[in-house]
Amino acid sequence: MIRTLVLATHNAKKLAELRRIVANSGLTVAVLGLDDVEPYPEPPETERTFEGNALLKARTAAAHTGLPALADDSGLEVDVLNRMPGVRTARWAGPAASDEENRRLVLAQVHDVPDADRTARFVAAVALVLPNGYEHVVGDTMEGRLAREEVGENGFGYDPIFIAEGNDVTNAQLTSDAKDAISHRGKAVRAMVAHIRELNEEQR
Ligand code: ITT
């Protein structure tokens, strides 16, 4: 039975979203963040895919804590930039870049691109690794386009410059519930929760 989950992220706002989505899914597990466990060195995100990096983070957390670990690797794909920044999204403006510097760089890179060609998507891979070596990864996306300027205060990262398909406001103008209902992370985590329920059922 999976009764505890370590959410293996160092990003406080991503952690808050993961906690919220798991809590709203009704799964009865104790949820820990990395602040609740013995510190361990962060693995470098060396893989070329979101799935690979999510597995790296979850494997490292499971190995160091001895607990079931869930990790999210996510990013933004901008079609006119050949789907970059992709797995480089967190470090797009440099190794220590702030969210604001990253957003500014992406907006500058597409400054002359018309609305119709500003299509982009968020991608998330969510990996579950159990201490017995069991691994499972699910991925999902949120389609949309880049805004022309930053708008809104909610969410995190690139949310102020992303307008999801069907919306005319940025993700940073959505409530938490509205974002979670359509987000790459919301969809992937809910699929993972369904999988965890099945695993727990099998072990009854
Ligand atoms: P961990 O690796 O410790 O989880 P991180 O912030 O480095 O934290 P990633 O490597 O997965 O996480 O990078 C994700 C990048 O994509 C980062 O720049 C985020 O701001 C951005 N991103 C992911 N999901 C997002 C969302 O829902 N809204 C806005 N930006 C998002």
Side-chain angles (χ1 to χ4, degrees), residues 45-56 73-74 86-87 125:
E45 294 180 21
T46 48
E47 295 293 315
R48 290 183 175 206
T49 63
F50 295 107
E51 289 77 9
N53 284 325
L55 273 169
L56 273 183
D73 196 61
S74 43
V87 293

Side-chain angles (χ1 to χ4, degrees), residues 76-165:
L76 183 67
E77 293 181 349
V78 180
D79 289 325
V80 77
L81 298 178
N82 276 332
R83 299 203 167 187
M84 290 187 277
V87 293
R88 312 282 309 167
T89 298
R91 289 153 285 153
W92 193 232
S98 67
D99 285 347
E100 192 181 352
E101 287 165 338
N102 283 332
R103 291 193 298 263
R104 268 204 226 126
L105 179 57
V106 168
L107 282 187
Q109 286 167 327
V110 297
H111 72 95
D112 57 348
V113 176
D115 283 352
D117 295 331
R118 295 171 80 85
T119 51
R121 70 200 53 75
F122 278 116
V123 181
V126 172
L128 172 73
V129 174
L130 304 185
N132 67 7
Y134 177 84
E135 298 185 343
H136 185 69
V137 190
V138 291
D140 219 315
T141 59
M142 170 169 44
E143 297 288 335
R145 66 185 159 86
L146 292 178
R148 296 232 148 247
E149 56 182 15
E150 302 199 4
V151 191
E153 302 293 330
N154 302 335
F156 69 100
Y158 294 75
D159 279 335
I161 63 165
F162 186 86
I163 300 170
E165 211 168 63

Side-chain angles (χ1 to χ4, degrees), residues 8-11 14 17 42 45 57 72-76 89-90 99 102 122 156-159 171 179 184-185:
T9 176
H10 289 92
N11 180 326
K14 187 199 274 185
E17 280 199 6
E42 208 173 335
E45 294 180 21
K57 292 188 260 191
D72 158 308
D73 196 61
S74 43
L76 183 67
T89 298
D99 285 347
N102 283 332
F122 278 116
F156 69 100
Y158 294 75
D159 279 335
N171 275 4
K179 180 182 169 188
H184 49 316
R185 182 167 301 102

